[in-house]
Amino acid sequence: MSAPPAPPVSAVLRIPGAAPPGAAHRTHRVRRVRRALAAPLLIALVAASALLAVPPREAAAEPNLVTNPGFETPGAGDMPACWSRAGWGDHDFTIGPTGDAHSGTTAMEVTLANRESGDRKALITESTECAPTVAEGAQYDLSVYYKATTPSVAITLFRHDTDLGWQYWTDVSTLPAAADWEQALVRTPVVPPGTDRISWGVSLFGDGTLVTDDYAMVPVEAPAPDPVCTGTAQECAEGAWDVLPVDNPVRSMHSVVLHNGKVLLIAGSGNDEDMFAAGTFTSAVYDPADGSYTVIPTPVDMFCAGHVQLADGRVLVMSGNRAYPAPDGSHDYQGFRDSYIFDPDTETYIRTNDMNDGHWYPSATILGNGDVLSFGGLREDSTGSVTAERWSHEHEEWLPLHRVNQTWSFWGLYPAMILMQDGRLFYSGSHVFGDGLPGTGASIHDHDANTITDVPGLRAKDERDQSASVLLPPAQDQRVLTIGGGNINTNPEANRLTDIIDLKEPSPGYRPGPPLPQGTVDLGAGPVPQTGDQGKMYVSAVLLPDGTVLETGGALHNRADPVFSASVFDPTTDTFTPVAADPEARGYHSSAFLLPDGRVMATGDNPGDGSWNHKVSVYSPPYLFQGDRPEIVSVDGNEWEYGETRAITVDRPITRAALIRPAAVTHSSDPNQRFVDLPMTVAPNGTDIDLHVTGNPNLAPPGWYMLFTVDANGVPSEAEWVRVGETDAQALAAALEAAHVHDFADDLDAEPRGPEPYRESAPVGPAADAADAERAGPADGAGDREVPESPTVGVTGCERAYGDAGVCVPAVFPESVPPTPAERCSWLRERGIEEQPLNGGGDPLGLSLLHIW
């Protein structure tokens, strides 16, 4: 008996937002639509749920886990048993059985017309009777026969979390249009912990017609090989660090992994006023293949610039240091408007047009269309820049001010702005320097709508100075982790806080994560175990090819007291595992980043005495001590397009393939770092594999990526380089228009705020100075503390009355230091800061009254 045919297209339903639990989606650049379930559909689904008796499974290749895979068993309403209508958005649609079947007498037809947003699908009913049971850590091969008049089709998965209920999981494949029946085959990712059932269907997200039939879901028989330890027991559990025999020749604080496998290390003046005065600006290119460095002529002081990798693999470097603070307090650090492109092929810098404003410490986030947005930093007059800047991929230039949406908001310095799957930006709350920015500490910026909406939950928002924020693997999950941080103005002990936000939720907010594992801290007399709530700032977070995150390095106070610890965060369990610590101090101006061979390189450290650590450390994670590595034998080309399928051959069965965007990191900040899953279709031999590239450029912005594969023991291959996305601007725009974008974060609790009244800049420093003076009180023996006119405290936390700009005498000493000149000078000497000249601004901390200096 076949189910009744679908109504004709003319008998359409227009029901904005109908969606089952967990089916949270949003679309790009359209009005947001709140989810609602129309009453007739709701009554039909409730009735079907109440009357449903589990139907017998139809004949299929066993063990097919899909109940009623060919729609032959009718349900209580007008949908076949164990199938429900699902979707969201604003469009005309029909969903129902049809007699145009691949086998048997019934198939399922979905049509969309006049689409403005959203998608529709027939979905396996999310119930214990219908949704297939799955095992944690297992994988399943899915198949479905389909016909489609449009390529706007994707296989979409949902999972049942035993604590949270039904959740969107992922899109595993975008399917091409098909005039006749085609079979789509794809393997699920590894089932996450806490998942007991999954549901899936084929989503239609563009105008057209989709017909599906003969669904199948089969468990994958892929036993993991026996684990092997090729190192010591400690190396296999914690990994190992090596300090390279050749020092980094430049004082680099910017690290960019280039698509040829080399590393661009940018120093500029390297926070050295003598080099600045001499016009000595440096960069170097490091080649991991032979350990060599090539020093590169550098046109301007790119000390504390911004940088981002463009769609073609060149590196856009924006702003930098126009001037160091003046001893007389007349100005602080100053940013210039200059901008350059570094070409990895010629290893040269090429001047672009200027930005609209100066930006010392700017953000830089690449968008799905290849454009770059930049915010924050200090202007040419040392005030805070409120000017948003946009680099046009199409025109290869910074757009004039009138062509860039402006909120006139000051985002601080190096604000971590992470691209979301719908093109909005998530400000995670991680930043560099200062505090007191308005709002909750984290927000969503819709640049097209020119609004900012705060999100709640970030703890200690004013102690996130040089914390690290990272989009957790995989990018499809849209979860962000923040780690540690401090405050250079008030100089408390850096914290152990970690917070996690799930941007798939209708109204996301941060939730507390596990406390950061502790290590040892050198307080001036050698390393001792951390105690209490001691954590670290200046922390680095690095995505690893096995889908975990390494956090490493850091310090307890402003440019002082290095912390020696590292741990690996597992996003599937939200837990940290301590691992071997870098033997070198890695505090201010340090960075760590992933190399194509799966190791992690760490450079830099610039403590308060102005010295520089030129030693370079390389970390081999535990997976490099666990037997032979899988090998990518061949790749079907290295220029990949969105939504397509690319073939690779490997030398053994694998469980995962992923793209990792190479690092462009400085000051704990790399907002473009991301790990993008590549769902697989695996041939019977287990080594010929089709990889399904996401169709959404916002998930994998155009550019070069490292392609890794991972075996069942979690051991990754070495990377192959592939470029994702056209460099043509019109092609990227078309890909964005066609992308399957979900309605995540579409029902925010806070009200969006629009542009502030026009202002030229934001004040930086004096308010912070006054607050510091109030907190610190008078120095013992120094009388009332003078508040310097210079705004430097609000920027660097250093008292500029002493020494040059490279030396940091803290404006506020740690609470553990007694507030006497003798104790303060002793604390400074223990950290290598000897006698410094006065700069003519008095002796605000009273350090010279006892002739100690």
Side-chain angles (χ1 to χ4, degrees):
M1 175 180 175
S2 65
V9 175
S10 59
V12 295
L13 300 172
R14 190 168 184 83
I15 306 171
H25 309 279
R26 181 185 181 273
T27 204
H28 181 67
R29 290 184 298 180
V30 298
R31 64 183 177 85
R32 296 187 189 112
V33 182
R34 294 182 183 270
R35 289 168 298 185
L37 192 62
L41 282 180
L42 178 61
I43 293 170
L45 292 177
V46 171
S49 176
L51 299 175
L52 181 67
V54 180
R57 295 189 186 277
E58 297 175 26
E62 290 298 333
N64 186 2
L65 302 180
V66 178
T67 298
N68 199 17
F71 309 108
E72 300 297 322
T73 303
D78 61 351
M79 286 288 284
C82 280
W83 290 90
S84 301
R85 294 179 175 90
W88 70 283
D90 191 357
H91 44 250
D92 301 328
F93 75 97
T94 64
I95 304 176
T98 177
D100 182 13
H102 172 259
S103 69
T105 60
T106 308
M108 183 62 60
E109 183 176 271
V110 182
T111 68
L112 256 66
N114 302 315
R115 178 184 178 274
E116 294 185 30
S117 64
D119 64 37
R120 294 292 158 178
K121 64 184 75 69
L123 186 71
I124 295 172
T125 300
E126 295 174 334
S127 69
T128 55
E129 296 83 6
C130 299
T133 302
V134 293
E136 295 179 8
Q139 291 180 281
Y140 298 83
D141 280 332
L142 312 178
S143 71
V144 60
Y145 284 87
Y146 80 99
K147 296 191 293 184
T149 63
T150 171
S152 298
V153 174
I155 297 177
T156 303
L157 276 61
F158 300 84
R159 66 181 189 89
H160 183 262
D161 187 286
T162 52
D163 292 328
L164 302 175
W166 283 101
Q167 308 282 310
Y168 167 82
W169 187 8
T170 190
D171 287 352
V172 286
S173 180
T174 301
L175 307 180
D180 205 351
W181 289 105
E182 297 283 350
Q183 186 181 26
L185 298 141
V186 67
R187 182 164 292 181
T188 70
V190 171
V191 174
T195 303
D196 59 358
R197 296 179 182 275
I198 69 170
S199 172
W200 58 285
V202 184
S203 300
L204 177 63
F205 54 93
D207 287 355
T209 300
L210 165 71
V211 183
T212 58
D213 200 3
D214 294 336
Y215 287 65
M217 174 176 166
V218 179
V220 174
E221 300 295 335
D226 293 332
V228 175
C229 178
T230 59
T232 66
Q234 185 174 5
E235 288 171 334
C236 292
E238 299 182 5
W241 289 87
D242 294 311
V243 179
L244 300 184
V246 179
D247 288 353
N248 181 355
V250 301
R251 294 165 63 102
S252 61
M253 58 199 67
H254 307 271
S255 303
V256 183
V257 178
L258 306 172
H259 67 85
N260 56 16
K262 298 179 181 181
V263 183
L264 173 64
L265 302 165
I266 304 174
S269 65
N271 199 20
D272 186 316
E273 279 193 290
D274 292 337
M275 290 186 179
F276 180 82
T280 304
F281 310 133
T282 58
S283 303
V285 171
Y286 171 69
D287 188 349
D290 59 14
S292 65
Y293 293 87
T294 302
V295 177
I296 303 298
T298 304
V300 293
D301 190 6
M302 294 176 179
F303 159 50
C304 296
H307 41 66
V308 63
Q309 309 218 27
L310 298 175
D312 60 5
R314 295 176 300 160
V315 182
L316 179 64
V317 183
M318 63 208 70
S319 194
N321 182 43
R322 181 173 179 265
Y324 281 82
D328 64 3
S330 59
H331 65 79
D332 200 331
Y333 287 99
Q334 296 177 335
F336 51 63
R337 303 176 186 226
D338 300 24
S339 169
Y340 289 81
I341 287 178
F342 180 81
D343 187 335
D345 294 334
T346 62
E347 296 186 347
T348 57
Y349 288 100
I350 304 164
R351 181 76 180 264
T352 75
N353 70 318
D354 287 350
M355 306 174 81
N356 294 293
D357 201 2
H359 298 271
W360 187 73
Y361 280 63
S363 71
T365 304
I366 189 168
L367 306 181
N369 68 351
D371 285 5
V372 174
L373 285 176
S374 179
F375 303 88
L378 297 187
R379 305 175 72 235
E380 293 165 312
D381 62 359
S382 302
T383 59
S385 176
V386 298
T387 302
E389 307 271 6
R390 185 163 189 150
W391 170 267
S392 168
H393 170 64
E394 180 178 9
H395 300 290
E396 292 204 339
E397 66 178 11
W398 293 102
L399 295 178
L401 194 63
H402 68 273
R403 293 185 58 191
V404 184
N405 284 344
Q406 301 292 335
T407 62
W408 310 117
S409 300
F410 180 51
W411 293 92
L413 279 64
Y414 284 141
M417 310 290 282
I418 297 171
L419 181 66
M420 297 168 60
Q421 60 90 36
D422 60 4
R424 291 178 291 173
L425 296 179
F426 173 59
Y427 169 53
S428 70
S430 289
H431 61 277
V432 176
F433 299 161
D435 58 17
L437 294 178
T440 60
S443 56
I444 291 175
H445 174 47
D446 188 330
H447 191 69
D448 290 339
N450 211 21
T451 59
I452 300 169
T453 308
D454 288 340
V455 298
L458 182 66
R459 294 176 293 171
K461 77 180 184 75
D462 288 332
E463 294 185 13
R464 293 298 187 169
D465 179 355
Q466 287 177 109
S467 60
S469 289
V470 63
L471 183 65
L472 289 170
Q476 287 91 333
D477 277 1
Q478 295 286 282
R479 299 170 73 230
V480 174
L481 168 72
T482 66
I483 302 172
N487 184 314
I488 60 153
N489 292 344
T490 58
N491 212 10
E493 291 184 338
N495 63 68
R496 301 177 63 190
L497 299 176
T498 73
D499 292 287
I500 302 170
I501 189 169
D502 187 345
L503 296 170
K504 298 189 303 298
E505 295 178 356
S507 186
Y510 271 110
R511 294 183 175 86
L516 195 62
Q518 292 176 304
T520 61
V521 56
D522 189 345
L523 299 173
V528 296
Q530 288 187 287
T531 60
D533 294 327
Q534 291 177 337
K536 56 186 176 179
M537 58 194 300
Y538 310 122
V539 61
S540 291
V542 183
L543 297 178
L544 299 180
D546 64 351
T548 60
V549 181
L550 172 72
E551 64 80 15
T552 181
L556 189 63
H557 289 108
N558 177 20
R559 297 183 65 178
D561 305 338
V563 172
F564 298 90
S565 70
S567 60
V568 170
F569 182 81
D570 186 346
T572 63
T573 59
D574 287 349
T575 56
F576 285 99
T577 300
V579 296
D582 188 342
E584 295 291 329
R586 302 293 180 201
Y588 185 54
H589 285 155
S590 67
S591 60
F593 45 90
L594 179 69
L595 296 173
D597 62 7
R599 298 179 300 161
V600 174
M601 182 171 169
T603 70
D605 182 49
N606 186 196
D609 63 2
S611 63
W612 191 273
N613 185 356
H614 287 270
K615 296 294 182 184
V616 175
S617 305
V618 175
Y619 177 62
S620 297
Y623 53 61
L624 294 182
F625 299 96
Q626 295 176 2
D628 293 338
R629 304 177 68 174
E631 179 183 351
I632 301 174
V633 177
S634 66
V635 179
D636 178 19
N638 65 355
E639 296 184 1
W640 295 7
E641 302 309 327
Y642 295 108
E644 71 175 4
T645 298
R646 284 299 180 120
I648 66 168
T649 302
V650 292
D651 69 340
R652 71 184 71 175
I654 60 172
T655 59
R656 191 172 203 174
L659 298 172
I660 297 183
R661 192 172 184 91
V665 59
T666 187
H667 292 74
S668 304
S669 179
D670 187 359
N672 300 290
Q673 188 180 197
R674 57 186 54 218
F675 177 114
V676 183
D677 255 342
L678 293 171
M680 306 182 297
T681 297
V682 182
N685 64 11
T687 58
D688 292 328
I689 298 172
D690 285 340
L691 301 179
H692 301 277
V693 185
T694 178
N696 185 352
N698 292 323
L699 286 177
W704 286 89
Y705 287 79
M706 294 179 282
L707 167 65
F708 288 97
T709 62
V710 183
D711 71 13
N713 274 340
V715 179
S717 66
E718 292 198 21
E720 295 286 338
W721 287 95
V722 298
R723 196 188 75 204
V724 177
E726 294 264 9
T727 56
D728 178 73
Q730 283 70 37
L732 288 172
L736 275 173
E737 190 67 29
H740 189 205
V741 179
H742 302 281
D743 66 337
F744 304 153
D746 71 330
D747 195 15
L748 300 173
D749 288 339
E751 287 296 320
R753 58 182 189 271
E756 299 178 18
Y758 168 77
R759 54 178 175 165
E760 190 173 75
S761 66
V764 174
D769 288 351
D772 285 344
E774 182 178 343
R775 282 188 289 261
D780 186 10
D784 292 338
R785 186 187 191 282
E786 296 180 20
V787 179
E789 295 180 2
S790 167
T792 50
V793 173
V795 178
T796 66
C798 305
E799 178 52 75
R800 293 301 177 205
Y802 308 98
D804 61 30
V807 175
C808 182
V809 175
V812 177
F813 280 76
E815 291 182 0
S816 60
V817 181
T820 67
E823 292 289 351
R824 287 171 170 175
C825 289
S826 176
W827 186 90
L828 291 169
R829 283 201 175 100
E830 288 175 352
R831 285 150 184 82
I833 303 177
E834 299 294 339
E835 183 173 351
Q836 299 292 320
L838 292 175
N839 287 324
D843 182 15
L845 299 178
L847 299 181
S848 64
L849 294 182
L850 300 181
H851 304 287
I852 295 171
W853 276 19

